């Protein structure tokens, strides 16, 4: 496998005069293409918090590329990334980066992964649900690029998104994720179960940003999960909101739960989660 620095030197420098939306599109497209190229040439993975929580050289190389381009093109903006980037902002804006979302899928050879980023307003890195000004998600092996945000129409490969249907939760297929160790703990397992059993069907596909993009286009009915870091939540939140969808967060048993979809489904998810409060 070529050294990361050798591959990075072949990547294009982006034009600082690009709009935020055009810059975001170029960044996720290039980062995703880089990660896919590196996977094809051979990768090893390192475990982070669990067997399924891993990182590869492709994650790090893609984030390094995005960081370098943002420092060139938006030097006053902050950058906050999953693989350790944390550059403070002097503009009040911060780019939130997930170079490879769904790394377990990515490393296993699945196509259900993406590169994603969001532009947020003033907030700390610890805030669970700050304002999302813009989101971009690129799924390389399916050549799908979703983008949307404040003043930026929600689109898939340039075509407008219809947004999620406003239907009852019991009529919808719902995407979610929960680790087995969380299913062993009533504080998390009970709220998850209360919401899951209200849906028509459950999908656990392994990439929150891919899931949320598909909720925005109406392919998946709704989505919920707990303890999402900003890079797993804000790109999809921005796109889904721009498509006319609804998002919400709720604290249950000390955990922050995130929900997205049509207004009725989100309201029912929040109600179901809340019904399982303990103590």
């Amino acid at each position: 496998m070529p050294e990361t620095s050798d591959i990075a030197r072949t990547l294009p420098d982006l034009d600082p005069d690009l709009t935020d939306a055009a810059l975001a599109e170029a960044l996720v497209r290039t980062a995703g293409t880089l990660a896919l190229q590196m996977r094809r040439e051979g990768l090893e993975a390192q475990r982070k918090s669990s067997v399924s929580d891993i990182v590869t050289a492709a994650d790090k190389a893609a984030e390094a590329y995005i960081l370098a381009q943002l420092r060139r093109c938006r030097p006053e903006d902050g950058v906050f990334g999953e693989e350790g980037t944390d550059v403070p902002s002097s503009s009040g804006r911060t780019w939130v980066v997930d170079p490879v979302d769904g790394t377990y899928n990515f490393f296993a050879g699945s196509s259900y992964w993406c590169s994603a980023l969001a532009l947020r307003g003033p907030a700390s890195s610890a805030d669970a649900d700050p304002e999302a000004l813009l989101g971009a998600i690129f799924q390389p092996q399916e050549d799908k690029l979703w983008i949307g945000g404040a003043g930026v129409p929600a689109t898939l490969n340039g075509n407008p998104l219809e947004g999620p249907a406003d239907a009852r939760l019991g009529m919808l297929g719902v995407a979610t994720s929960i680790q087995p160790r969380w299913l062993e703990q009533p504080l998390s397992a009970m709220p998850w179960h209360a919401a899951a059993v209200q849906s028509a069907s459950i999908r656990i596909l392994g990439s929150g940003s891919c899931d949320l993009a598909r909720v925005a286009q109406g392919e998946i009915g709704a989505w919920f999960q707990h303890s999402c870091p900003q890079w797993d939540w804000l790109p999809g939140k921005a796109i889904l909101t721009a498509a006319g969808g609804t998002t919400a967060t709720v604290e249950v048993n000390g955990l922050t739960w995130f929900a997205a979809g049509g207004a009725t489904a989100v309201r029912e998810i929040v109600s179901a989660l809340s019904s399982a409060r303990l103590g």
Side-chain angles (χ1 to χ4, degrees), residues 163-268:
D166 189 19
R168 297 291 303 272
L169 189 58
M171 302 299 295
L172 300 173
V174 177
T176 183
S177 181
I178 189 166
Q179 295 294 330
R181 63 188 179 90
W182 288 107
L183 283 174
E184 295 176 342
Q185 303 179 39
L187 291 175
S188 49
M190 291 179 66
W192 184 86
H193 181 268
V197 298
Q198 297 296 319
S199 67
S201 65
I202 285 291
R203 302 287 184 266
I204 299 180
L205 300 170
S207 168
S209 285
C210 288
D211 292 345
L212 285 164
R214 284 168 168 77
V215 176
Q217 74 180 69
E219 182 179 322
I220 294 174
W223 178 93
F224 72 96
Q225 187 177 325
H226 75 76
S227 305
C228 294
Q230 291 182 10
W231 47 74
D232 283 342
W233 172 238
L234 295 183
K237 174 189 174 181
I239 296 167
L240 187 138
T241 302
T246 298
T247 67
T249 61
V250 61
E251 295 287 330
V252 181
N253 301 336
L255 297 174
T256 302
W257 292 82
F258 300 74
T264 299
V266 169
R267 184 171 61 251
E268 292 180 348

Side-chain angles (χ1 to χ4, degrees), residues 1 17 28 39 56 60 120 151 198 221 235-236 239-240 248 258 272:
M1 183 183 72
D17 292 330
V28 294
R39 187 180 78 175
T56 72
K60 296 176 181 179
R120 74 171 195 228
Q198 297 296 319
I239 296 167
L240 187 138
F258 300 74

Side-chain angles (χ1 to χ4, degrees), residues 20-276:
D20 288 337
L23 178 61
E25 180 173 337
L27 287 170
V28 294
R29 189 177 290 279
T30 304
T33 301
L34 167 63
L36 181 57
Q37 177 187 348
M38 292 181 68
R39 187 180 78 175
R40 286 170 173 164
E41 294 173 354
L43 285 172
E44 295 182 354
Q46 297 175 331
R47 186 184 301 181
K48 296 199 288 187
S49 65
S50 69
V51 172
S52 62
D53 183 16
I54 61 176
V55 63
T56 72
D59 298 71
K60 296 176 181 179
E63 182 161 307
Y65 171 76
I66 292 174
L67 172 62
Q69 295 305 310
L70 287 173
R71 299 309 292 152
R72 286 184 59 257
C73 297
R74 300 292 189 273
E76 296 182 352
D77 291 353
V79 188
F80 180 47
E82 180 178 14
E83 304 311 328
T85 299
D86 195 357
V87 177
S89 169
S90 61
S91 67
R93 309 186 331 158
T94 295
W95 296 82
V96 179
V97 180
D98 196 344
V100 177
D101 180 54
T103 303
Y104 196 64
N105 286 354
F106 169 75
F107 189 65
S110 169
S111 66
Y112 203 80
W113 62 275
C114 64
S115 291
L117 61 76
L119 180 60
R120 74 171 195 228
S124 77
S125 299
D127 287 349
D129 191 22
E131 180 184 14
L133 304 173
L134 176 68
I137 296 169
F138 179 54
Q139 193 172 348
Q141 289 173 269
E142 297 193 12
D143 192 27
K144 291 182 176 181
L145 193 145
W146 297 265
I147 194 163
V152 179
T155 59
L156 167 57
N157 293 345
N159 299 311
L161 299 181
E162 294 185 3
D166 189 19
R168 297 291 303 272
L169 189 58
M171 302 299 295
L172 300 173
V174 177
T176 183
S177 181
I178 189 166
Q179 295 294 330
R181 63 188 179 90
W182 288 107
L183 283 174
E184 295 176 342
Q185 303 179 39
L187 291 175
S188 49
M190 291 179 66
W192 184 86
H193 181 268
V197 298
Q198 297 296 319
S199 67
S201 65
I202 285 291
R203 302 287 184 266
I204 299 180
L205 300 170
S207 168
S209 285
C210 288
D211 292 345
L212 285 164
R214 284 168 168 77
V215 176
Q217 74 180 69
E219 182 179 322
I220 294 174
W223 178 93
F224 72 96
Q225 187 177 325
H226 75 76
S227 305
C228 294
Q230 291 182 10
W231 47 74
D232 283 342
W233 172 238
L234 295 183
K237 174 189 174 181
I239 296 167
L240 187 138
T241 302
T246 298
T247 67
T249 61
V250 61
E251 295 287 330
V252 181
N253 301 336
L255 297 174
T256 302
W257 292 82
F258 300 74
T264 299
V266 169
R267 184 171 61 251
E268 292 180 348
I269 290 170
V270 169
S271 176
L273 293 167
S274 300
S275 72

